[in-house]
Amino acid sequence: MSEEGLEQKFIQEAFDTNWVVPLGPNVDGFEKDLEKFVGQDKRVVALSSGTSAVHLGLVNCGVGPGDEVITQSFTFCASAHPITYLGATPVFVDSEPDTWNIDPELMEEAIKDRIAKTGKTPKAIVPVALYGMPYKIDRIMKIADQYGIPVVEDAAEGFGSRYQGQVLGTFGKYGVLSFNGNKIITTSGGGALITSDDDEWRKVMMYATQYRESYPYYQHEKIGYNYRMSNICAGIGRGQMTVAEAHLAHHRHVQSLYEKLFADVPGIHVHSQPATGDFDSNYWLCAITIDEDVRIKDQENAYKTIVTSAVGGAAGVIHAASQAITDCQPNDNVEALREYLNKAGIEGRPLWKPMHKQPVYCGRSEKGKAMIDSLPSGAVCYTYDNSVAYVNGVSEAMFKIGMCLPAGPCVSDDDVQYIVETIKSAVI
Ligand SMILES: *Cc1c(COP(=O)(O)O)cnc(C)c1O
């Protein structure tokens, strides 16, 4: 049966058996599939989104008002916003150059500096598998354990990626997966939290279903959330699990094709995993960097017009930007290439803009600027009203020269060939 066929079968079953609710046989079945997939005797709770999984992971770590939580600055906002939802303060840590993920050394420096400055240890650490690339989880866990800090792995983009052979999301106390429409597998929208044991699983399950106690009536002893995945979405998930390995193989194949075809293109580099043998990225998206001296056709006109819709046609962006530029944006040649590709029917996207450069986190200081101090390593600590950042410059530098290229299940070998040829033709 085809992929769509299986998904429709599970969904039809949900209707036939009257399970059109946020629980049921598809939810149970999908969770069992996921538990088998991630291994390590983990328990999994299927949720309505990856964001809610980050949120519940932090809730279960006891994060609350006045706490601080360390996370990677170079990420999608969903790694950070749930920290703010809980009244806690995100402490953004910059990246290392090889993986683009949280720099373990800088992370330890940040922990020490937080303890020195606040007298308190950060309440959790959220590393992120950026574009599927594994973070150096052995180093991260060693430091986290040394300071007694629980780790919530944001493997939303790293479904099926492995470090030293072990699936991401299974190293920390909790692991986050996302099944949003653009991720490796999708349930239209959805996510999951990987938990360490039955006790943790039970707690997460309680929080995900409004924290209802076992009485014949509704008894609430804690504040819960309505975060359970629907049985319809889980039906899609069960269908998708039958093709997960094929999707993963496809992403890795597309990456290797990009690597091969870009090998002889000067000034353009494909972001690839370190060759130590520890890394096995799912290569969710192919990311390239473009040297600043590479000239792209029509580059002098980059950023001359105000964009009236979000890049990527993002849902929810309903107002035009107020100005064509910001104080932190991709270089002119990157923007010119994005426009060039767009005209050729190819969607190139900027990398995630680092959280410590987002106005919502860095633009709200009382005096309009941060308290700034330098650290022994040469990194800089910025203290804002609602966030703290430990910055070595790596994520901002990558954001300025980077771009993501299409890599999904519909991207064929011919497409990759066309994309690379188009990029070559854009270079002057
Ligand atoms: C997609 C994503 C999430 C959140 O997932 P949703 O299912 O969209 O809520 C969290 N973290 C990262 C890094 C992501 O890319």
Side-chain angles (χ1 to χ4, degrees):
M1 205 180 276
S2 75
E3 175 180 340
E4 292 78 15
L6 266 179
E7 284 151 4
Q8 276 163 14
K9 172 181 158 285
F10 287 122
I11 293 170
Q12 191 57 47
E13 228 166 70
F15 279 99
D16 292 346
T17 55
N18 226 354
W19 282 105
V20 187
V21 279
L23 78 171
N26 280 340
V27 181
D28 298 342
F30 185 40
E31 284 170 343
K32 287 284 159 280
D33 290 348
L34 289 168
E35 284 171 2
K36 193 159 158 244
F37 179 84
V38 300
Q40 308 294 321
D41 288 326
K42 295 285 180 175
R43 300 293 319 267
V44 173
V45 182
L47 299 169
S48 53
S49 67
T51 311
S52 59
V54 176
H55 194 180
L56 286 193
L58 296 174
V59 166
N60 263 39
C61 291
V63 173
D67 289 332
E68 291 187 338
V69 174
I70 288 183
T71 188
Q72 194 165 310
S73 185
F74 206 7
T75 185
F76 177 56
C77 66
S79 314
H81 286 356
I83 301 167
T84 304
Y85 300 164
L86 289 166
T89 303
V91 175
F92 298 116
V93 173
D94 214 331
S95 291
E96 51 179 7
D98 54 354
T99 64
W100 294 1
N101 290 326
I102 194 165
D103 181 330
E105 253 96 301
L106 184 57
M107 183 185 94
E108 181 163 25
E109 191 171 34
I111 294 170
K112 285 186 184 150
D113 197 50
R114 291 333 290 160
I115 295 172
K117 281 183 176 143
T118 70
K120 276 171 70 178
T121 308
K123 208 64 191 261
I125 297 171
V126 185
V128 182
L130 204 68
Y131 307 122
M133 182 73 71
Y135 23 69
K136 290 188 187 145
I137 191 65
D138 51 347
R139 305 283 327 282
I140 294 166
M141 288 308 297
K142 194 156 173 241
I143 297 163
D145 288 344
Q146 196 181 323
Y147 291 89
I149 310 173
V151 172
V152 179
E153 290 179 65
D154 184 346
E157 301 174 6
F159 176 90
S161 294
R162 290 167 186 268
Y163 189 80
Q164 294 177 345
Q166 187 175 329
V167 171
L168 295 192
T170 62
F171 293 86
K173 192 165 185 189
Y174 302 102
V176 169
L177 299 176
S178 166
F179 314 116
N180 200 2
N182 56 351
K183 299 287 161 75
I184 294 266
I185 65 162
T186 176
T187 58
S188 70
L193 193 63
I194 303 168
T195 74
S196 13
D197 53 38
D198 287 346
D199 286 344
E200 296 297 339
W201 175 84
R202 232 183 312 280
K203 273 197 289 175
V204 172
M205 196 64 97
M206 293 279 279
Y207 277 115
T209 54
Q210 302 290 25
Y211 219 95
R212 296 207 306 249
E213 304 289 345
S214 310
Y215 291 92
Y217 43 86
Y218 285 73
Q219 168 95 353
H220 304 286
E221 295 173 10
K222 285 188 178 164
I223 299 289
Y225 304 86
N226 179 11
Y227 276 172
R228 202 84 167 100
M229 179 177 277
S230 97
N231 198 46
I232 299 289
C233 293
I236 303 173
R238 289 177 83 181
Q240 288 268 295
M241 283 307 280
T242 65
V243 293
E245 291 297 347
H247 281 198
L248 287 166
H250 181 77
H251 280 267
R252 289 173 175 133
H253 168 71
V254 166
Q255 168 78 14
S256 68
L257 211 50
Y258 277 123
E259 285 177 8
K260 195 175 104 200
L261 296 173
F262 274 122
D264 62 349
V265 182
I268 299 185
H269 315 277
V270 178
H271 177 47
S272 304
Q273 63 194 16
T276 60
D278 292 329
F279 296 83
D280 186 10
S281 176
N282 64 15
Y283 288 113
W284 172 54
L285 291 181
C286 175
I288 57 169
T289 58
I290 302 149
D291 291 352
E292 216 177 330
D293 60 1
V294 173
R295 283 203 62 80
I296 300 291
K297 286 175 187 160
D298 214 23
Q299 184 172 323
E300 55 286 357
N301 290 318
Y303 295 115
K304 287 285 154 57
T305 50
I306 291 177
V307 175
T308 51
S309 72
V311 170
V317 181
I318 51 167
H319 57 87
S322 54
Q323 53 190 37
I325 58 165
T326 69
D327 68 341
C328 173
Q329 61 188 19
N331 290 335
D332 285 356
N333 62 353
V334 175
E335 172 60 9
L337 181 60
R338 190 190 67 76
E339 296 241 34
Y340 187 94
L341 291 175
N342 195 32
K343 287 189 187 117
I346 299 163
E347 193 188 8
R349 288 192 189 185
L351 305 186
W352 301 127
K353 179 165 175 170
M355 286 303 119
H356 75 274
K357 298 303 292 181
Q358 294 287 356
V360 72
Y361 287 119
C362 74
R364 298 207 338 215
S365 186
E366 262 164 33
K367 298 179 196 69
K369 61 180 203 286
M371 229 168 66
I372 303 173
D373 56 308
S374 302
L375 300 159
S377 69
V380 179
C381 172
Y382 296 85
T383 307
Y384 298 102
D385 281 355
N386 63 351
S387 76
V388 180
Y390 288 84
V391 175
N392 60 19
V394 170
S395 62
E396 187 175 351
M398 293 305 123
F399 173 64
K400 287 182 172 162
I401 61 172
M403 176 182 277
C404 288
L405 298 176
C410 303
V411 176
S412 68
D413 287 16
D414 286 348
D415 292 336
V416 175
Q417 194 97 37
Y418 171 66
I419 291 164
V420 175
E421 284 311 316
T422 308
I423 290 173
K424 282 186 190 167
S425 74
V427 177
I428 297 171

